Amino acid sequence: MKASALDSQRPWVWKTILSAVAVTLTVTQLWRVDHGAGVGKLSTIIIMMSGTSIAVWALWREYSRVGKMRGVEQAHSQFLAAAETSLDGFGLFESVRDEAGRILDFRVLYVNANIERLVGQSRSELLGKTLCTVTPMKASGSLFGRFCRVVATGESLNEEFPVSTANIKASWLQIQVVKLGDGLAITFSDISGAKETQERYEHLAEFTDSVFQNAPFSIVTTDTQGMITAMNSEAEKLTGYRREELVGKASLTRLHDERELLGRAVAIDSAATLEEYGFEVLTAGAAVGEMEEQEWTLIRRDGARTPINLAVRAVTTPSGQVSGFVSIAFDITDRRQMMEYVTHLATHDQLTGLTGRALLQDKTVQTVELARRYGTKVAVFVIDLDHFKRINDSLGHTAGDQILIEAAQRLSRSVRSTDVVARVGGDEFVVVMPDITTVDDVEQCAANLVARLAPEISIEGHLVHVTASVGVCIYPDFASDAKHLLKRADSAMYAAKENGRNQFQIFSESMLKETAERLTMEHALRHALGNKELSMHYQPQISLTTGRVTGMEALLRWTHPRLGSISPSQFIPLAEETGLIVPIGEWAFMTACCEGKALRDELDMDLTVSINLSPRQFQQKNLVHVIEHSLSKSGLSPDKLQIEITENMLMVNSEHVLDKLQRMRELGVRISIDDFGTGFCSFSYLLEYQVDRLKIDQSFVKKAGTDANAAAVVRTIIAMSHGLNIKVVAEGVETDEQMRFLLRRKCDEAQGNFIAKPVSQAEFCEVVRRYANNPSAPESEPVSGLVR
Ligand SMILES: Nc1nc2c(ncn2[C@@H]2O[C@@H]3COP(=O)(O)O[C@H]4[C@@H](O)[C@H](n5cnc6c(=O)[nH]c(N)nc65)O[C@@H]4COP(=O)(O)O[C@H]3[C@H]2O)c(=O)[nH]1
């Protein structure tokens, strides 16, 4: 009997067949219904159809018609519900056999909606067709053979395979094939997504492995206890171990210096042991989620020590548990060497290779700290080459450099290797000697340094004689810390210079007193302006041709209520060092311009006003503006203002100086060179800077009458200045003899106590008037007929 005939005659029969299948599939449940409900009985018969196909006849024998129908429908709907709600494709197939009973194909008996979606055909198109016609399966293929085997043996089949057929909407399928009567129940699961994810993971794993293996730095992984679990080829190269020697056999600490590990462990916990803390020291930061990166010493297989940079990171599970560590390392030998080189460059003088200023300070601090701890003494020697600038200027910088190198070598050879020898400025060196026992030792060392530097140096065929002035200070005798030690040794060096150079001076009790006095004075000077303790005095300058007063030099005066009158030669250098000269100088400029203008007006004379400008003031950025402001506020004509600078100031920074002088000249102001003859200024500078006047230093004027050399200097200065059309003023004229000499030499102007001492603004008019009435009656000794 054909199924279609059955269907038309007894509609419930087809349902019953399906129900039978359902019974087989969900046998437990329906069997329970059968017995539990006790309403009917199920019988199944296998029917051969024309020898070509097999069908299943399932008969549900009811005890009552209503019960029978209800049971069938219930089983049917349960099957459909199960099959249709399945997330997979599901189908039933009956074997199609030939006469000899061989399976030729499998006919589609049932497919669920997911199969329709999967193959893109409707159920009505599929039902009754065979597997080989609706799928790319071949009856000759191996899969077909395995299907037949399921039918023959009853052993289920579970397979995954890629799909490349266009009409099947999956790239990977998993099939579960079970025997069902003389046919198959097949579940098709679309595992394309899972496969893609799996492939991605496989790719990722492959990529990660490739990165791991080919990384240009050493990677070692460990478990949480430090046991090495993997290492890449770079790690093999860096450590010298093969991975078989370490992986699963050794802890990461095997590659580290035990003392270094213990040292760092003890820094965290003083009772630390290597066993307990060794690995923890390496991973302390990583274990709390940080990227631990530190420099360590790696111990290679052959025992060689290599500095490495080690970055350790924890590997965590999705729940956040640390499951191990990854340590990435690279050799930093080159970097270390480079750093050492750069540090050396930064901390040492390039010319001489000696310690530089910053490092000297650190080393002095350390030395003093050690001396404090062990109760020893430290001596600091500040060594300054005498007249080095003059040598440098006359012989050139290359020769100057050679002298400095030779001096550095001589100094290094004169001290112990543990002493620090530093170059801290152009021609200034410092030696720090620890473990000094007596002051006698220090004196001997200082004398030795002076003597060692004294022999002539042969430079480019010249024999150059370079001497040095050495200042020494001893810790703890005269300084309680490194800063004061260096500062006081420096003061002692200046004292040595003042005493005549080429000698040493040890900082002493009297210098300490001077220092204390200086501090008192510094404190007082800070308040001098505010307390109106400063004033200007004026000293007349006369023409040696006409005998008339031509101008005045403004000179600062400081009268402190307790300290009394303080000389400018004391407080001006202090004001320079402390920078107080800037506000004081501004005040002096303004006061001198205003008072000078008032004196000119009161005397009704064409007088010039000379004002001193010190080196620190010259660096003042707004200096030109300060001068301009003083001129405009006072009403003094710029060409009546003479600015006095020392010759050394011209030689500091030529371009910078030239620019400032140029701007002053543009204002119309005149430039005088003060104390001429004491510095190293050549006449070419005077031309370059367009100087208006030279003031011969009083030391030459003083000796001119008695000392042939001084007289020659004065003569030369006057003659050369006149040749350059520069006026010459002699300062510090004290005697009639000096005045006669200057007159004979045709000096243009003179200034000095012989003519008139500096006086206050109030007294100045009186002094000038008295002088005008009686020019041959100077203050000190009256000399007549000198000045005309
Ligand atoms: N022995 C002797 N000395 C004489 C004679 N005639 C004048 N003097 C002194 O010689 C110094 C001349 O000033 P200077 O060389 O510019 O040297 C000045 C100058 O460099 C500086 N100074 C003075 N006032 C100022 C100022 O307002 N600003 C700046 N920056 N420096 C100033 O202080 C230095 C010293 O000033 P003073 O003590 O006033 O000393 C003055 C003056 O009083 C004399 O016949 N015999």
Side-chain angles (χ1 to χ4, degrees):
M1 196 189 283
K2 288 187 179 171
S4 57
L6 259 176
D7 206 18
S8 63
Q9 288 168 30
R10 307 274 295 270
W12 59 273
V13 170
W14 183 235
K15 290 179 183 172
T16 309
I17 293 169
L18 293 176
S19 303
V21 174
V23 167
T24 315
L25 286 171
T26 55
V27 69
T28 326
Q29 197 183 357
L30 281 183
W31 209 243
R32 219 183 293 135
V33 172
D34 187 19
H35 288 276
V39 289
K41 191 176 176 185
L42 177 77
S43 307
T44 55
I45 306 160
I46 300 165
I47 301 170
M48 301 288 289
M49 298 287 288
S50 316
T52 56
S53 63
I54 296 168
V56 179
W57 181 281
L59 186 65
W60 175 249
R61 193 184 293 158
E62 303 163 296
Y63 292 109
S64 73
R65 173 97 186 134
V66 177
K68 188 171 78 178
M69 289 307 290
R70 198 185 297 134
V72 169
E73 276 171 14
Q74 196 180 354
H76 174 68
S77 52
Q78 279 175 343
F79 162 74
L80 280 182
E84 293 301 322
T85 56
S86 165
L87 293 173
D88 299 317
F90 176 72
L92 297 173
F93 303 87
E94 62 177 355
S95 307
V96 179
R97 295 178 182 266
D98 62 9
E99 281 170 1
R102 279 194 301 269
I103 297 175
L104 300 174
D105 207 339
F106 294 94
R107 177 172 295 114
V108 181
L109 295 182
Y110 167 78
V111 285
N112 72 354
N114 275 339
I115 294 271
E116 290 183 299
R117 273 194 292 275
L118 196 64
V119 299
Q121 290 184 55
S122 71
R123 229 176 289 213
S124 57
E125 286 174 292
L126 294 168
L127 288 177
K129 289 194 178 148
T130 61
L131 205 54
C132 291
T133 55
V134 294
T135 68
M137 187 185 271
K138 297 260 174 343
S140 55
S142 71
L143 186 61
F144 187 86
R146 292 202 290 283
F147 275 22
C148 295
R149 214 179 118 68
V150 173
V151 180
T153 62
E155 279 172 23
S156 58
L157 178 73
N158 197 335
E159 274 196 25
E160 290 176 358
F161 50 87
V163 180
S164 53
T165 318
N167 64 325
I168 294 182
K169 291 172 183 56
S171 53
W172 271 86
L173 282 178
Q174 184 186 41
I175 51 164
Q176 229 180 337
V177 188
V178 291
K179 175 181 160 94
L180 187 67
D182 188 26
L184 299 170
I186 307 178
T187 309
F188 298 87
S189 308
D190 179 357
I191 56 165
S192 315
K195 274 288 169 190
E196 258 174 47
T197 311
Q198 187 187 338
E199 270 170 25
R200 260 207 310 275
Y201 272 116
E202 278 169 11
H203 268 111
L204 194 65
E206 218 173 282
F207 173 74
T208 313
D209 190 56
S210 150
V211 170
F212 177 74
Q213 286 309 339
N214 300 310
F217 30 77
S218 148
I219 306 178
V220 176
T221 62
T222 64
D223 63 16
T224 50
Q225 303 305 306
M227 179 60 72
I228 295 175
T229 49
M231 58 194 282
N232 69 353
S233 353
E234 247 346 273
E236 289 185 316
K237 270 193 228 159
L238 185 67
T239 62
Y241 287 98
R242 279 174 289 112
R243 60 194 80 177
E244 311 84 81
E245 294 176 283
L246 295 181
V247 172
K249 292 179 187 153
S251 164
L252 188 65
T253 53
R254 161 90 70 91
L255 302 171
H256 284 262
D257 176 6
E258 289 187 354
R259 272 179 311 171
E260 191 177 55
L261 283 176
L262 190 60
R264 295 206 200 169
V266 168
I268 301 169
D269 176 356
S270 57
T273 61
L274 198 61
E275 292 68 32
E276 206 183 341
Y277 283 97
F279 183 62
E280 267 186 43
V281 175
L282 290 169
T283 56
V288 292
E290 290 164 12
M291 178 74 162
E292 180 94 70
E293 195 167 346
Q294 283 187 48
E295 291 186 4
W296 291 94
T297 308
L298 176 98
I299 307 297
R300 286 175 48 88
R301 192 176 191 274
D302 58 8
R305 299 164 67 83
T306 307
I308 56 163
N309 183 291
L310 181 73
V312 183
R313 180 150 210 158
V315 180
T316 50
T317 61
S319 64
Q321 285 286 101
V322 175
S323 61
F325 295 95
V326 180
S327 24
I328 299 170
F330 54 89
D331 186 343
I332 53 167
T333 310
D334 289 351
R335 191 170 86 182
R336 276 257 174 104
Q337 281 170 353
M338 180 63 85
M339 279 303 291
E340 275 164 20
Y341 177 66
V342 170
T343 311
H344 188 271
L345 275 190
T347 54
H348 287 76
D349 170 46
Q350 285 184 46
L351 180 70
T352 59
L354 295 180
T355 302
R357 182 182 283 276
L359 186 59
L360 167 81
Q361 264 156 5
D362 287 354
K363 286 193 173 182
T364 314
V365 169
Q366 283 167 18
T367 312
V368 167
E369 279 315 307
L370 280 178
R372 200 192 305 277
R373 197 175 303 165
Y374 297 113
T376 53
K377 287 179 193 280
V378 180
V380 165
F381 302 74
V382 171
I383 303 125
D384 192 273
L385 302 185
D386 299 327
H387 301 305
F388 177 75
K389 193 165 168 34
R390 190 161 48 180
I391 299 166
N392 208 25
D393 287 346
S394 53
L395 293 181
H397 289 270
T398 316
D401 285 355
Q402 276 175 278
I403 290 169
L404 291 171
I405 293 168
E406 177 61 27
Q409 285 170 354
R410 288 183 183 186
L411 283 175
S412 300
R413 283 199 297 265
S414 313
V415 300
R416 291 172 298 189
S417 60
T418 45
D419 298 340
V420 180
V421 184
R423 181 176 171 224
V424 293
D427 58 347
E428 198 168 294
F429 299 86
V430 172
V431 172
V432 180
M433 283 188 192
D435 298 331
I436 291 291
T437 3
T438 64
V439 177
D440 287 351
D441 290 349
V442 178
E443 279 182 10
Q444 211 174 335
C445 289
N448 187 34
L449 290 179
V450 173
R452 289 290 197 99
L453 287 167
E456 288 170 328
I457 302 171
S458 167
I459 308 268
E460 294 163 2
H462 296 89
L463 278 180
V464 186
H465 188 213
V466 184
T467 58
S469 301
V470 178
V472 193
C473 187
I474 304 168
Y475 167 89
D477 301 10
F478 291 106
S480 56
D481 56 28
K483 189 176 144 201
H484 285 95
L485 194 55
L486 287 162
K487 212 170 164 191
R488 288 177 183 172
D490 200 50
S491 305
M493 184 274 290
Y494 278 109
K497 283 227 185 269
E498 274 166 27
N499 288 349
R501 298 183 165 92
N502 192 22
Q503 57 183 284
F504 71 88
Q505 175 75 51
I506 296 183
F507 191 88
S508 60
E509 199 71 56
S510 62
M511 290 174 82
L512 193 63
K513 208 170 141 238
E514 265 173 39
T515 311
E517 279 167 6
R518 225 187 81 111
L519 280 177
T520 312
M521 199 190 288
E522 186 183 323
H523 180 77
L525 189 61
R526 287 190 189 279
H527 300 94
L529 247 189
N531 292 346
K532 298 194 166 40
E533 292 161 13
L534 299 177
S535 63
M536 297 308 288
H537 274 203
Y538 301 91
Q539 185 172 37
Q541 295 166 332
I542 58 160
S543 159
L544 289 179
T545 324
T546 64
R548 293 209 180 93
V549 176
T550 53
M552 62 194 97
E553 180 179 2
L555 293 159
L556 250 177
R557 293 291 176 261
W558 177 25
T559 312
H560 186 265
R562 191 168 48 80
L563 302 172
S565 171
I566 300 161
S567 155
S569 50
Q570 264 182 294
F571 75 82
I572 295 276
L574 186 63
E576 279 261 300
E577 274 172 47
T578 52
L580 286 168
I581 193 71
V582 173
I584 290 177
E586 272 182 39
W587 177 88
F589 247 100
M590 182 58 82
T591 310
C593 285
C594 291
E595 293 185 348
K597 169 75 168 68
L599 289 172
R600 274 171 60 93
D601 293 348
E602 195 181 336
L603 289 164
D604 193 21
M605 286 170 74
D606 185 18
L607 303 176
T608 57
V609 182
S610 299
I611 304 178
N612 287 283
L613 198 63
S614 64
R616 176 69 181 77
Q617 280 176 283
F618 211 78
Q619 288 166 15
Q620 199 182 336
K621 280 210 176 81
N622 65 343
L623 176 67
V624 180
H625 172 75
V626 167
I627 298 171
E628 206 175 359
H629 179 61
S630 302
L631 286 171
S632 68
K633 193 158 178 220
S634 63
L636 181 72
S637 169
D639 64 331
K640 298 302 163 205
L641 177 62
Q642 290 269 351
I643 288 183
E644 294 193 4
I645 59 173
T646 59
E647 53 185 319
N648 289 340
M649 279 159 67
L650 289 185
M651 302 171 69
V652 181
N653 177 352
S654 316
E655 227 172 82
H656 172 72
V657 171
L658 192 63
D659 174 61
K660 252 189 196 149
L661 287 178
Q662 184 57 38
R663 283 162 55 210
M664 286 183 199
R665 292 193 64 82
E666 280 163 14
L667 285 180
V669 169
R670 306 295 153 104
I671 311 292
S672 277
I673 303 299
D674 205 3
D675 306 334
F676 193 80
T678 53
F680 308 109
C681 188
S682 69
F683 275 89
S684 63
Y685 278 97
L686 304 182
L687 273 183
E688 189 179 345
Y689 293 112
Q690 299 178 30
V691 167
D692 300 283
R693 282 202 322 184
L694 278 189
K695 291 184 83 177
I696 306 176
D697 188 65
Q698 43 183 289
S699 59
F700 297 108
V701 176
K702 226 172 254 164
K703 290 190 241 162
T706 51
D707 180 333
N709 287 337
V713 171
V714 174
R715 259 199 322 267
T716 315
I717 293 174
I718 295 172
M720 291 195 76
S721 303
H722 285 168
L724 296 169
N725 209 17
I726 296 172
K727 281 201 163 176
V728 183
V729 185
E731 63 179 350
V733 181
E734 288 181 330
T735 64
D736 173 43
E737 201 181 5
Q738 290 162 5
M739 194 69 121
R740 283 174 200 278
F741 175 82
L742 295 167
L743 271 169
R744 271 200 308 277
R745 297 295 151 208
K746 302 219 174 342
C747 183
D748 302 292
E749 287 175 64
Q751 169 188 347
N753 291 349
F754 181 70
I755 300 154
K757 282 183 180 166
V759 290
S760 67
Q761 183 202 17
E763 295 163 286
F764 187 79
C765 289
E766 177 53 30
V767 169
V768 173
R769 280 191 196 111
R770 204 176 338 127
Y771 186 82
N773 293 336
N774 187 10
S776 56
E779 282 191 352
S780 45
E781 291 168 47
V783 175
S784 56
L786 273 178
V787 182
R788 292 278 171 271

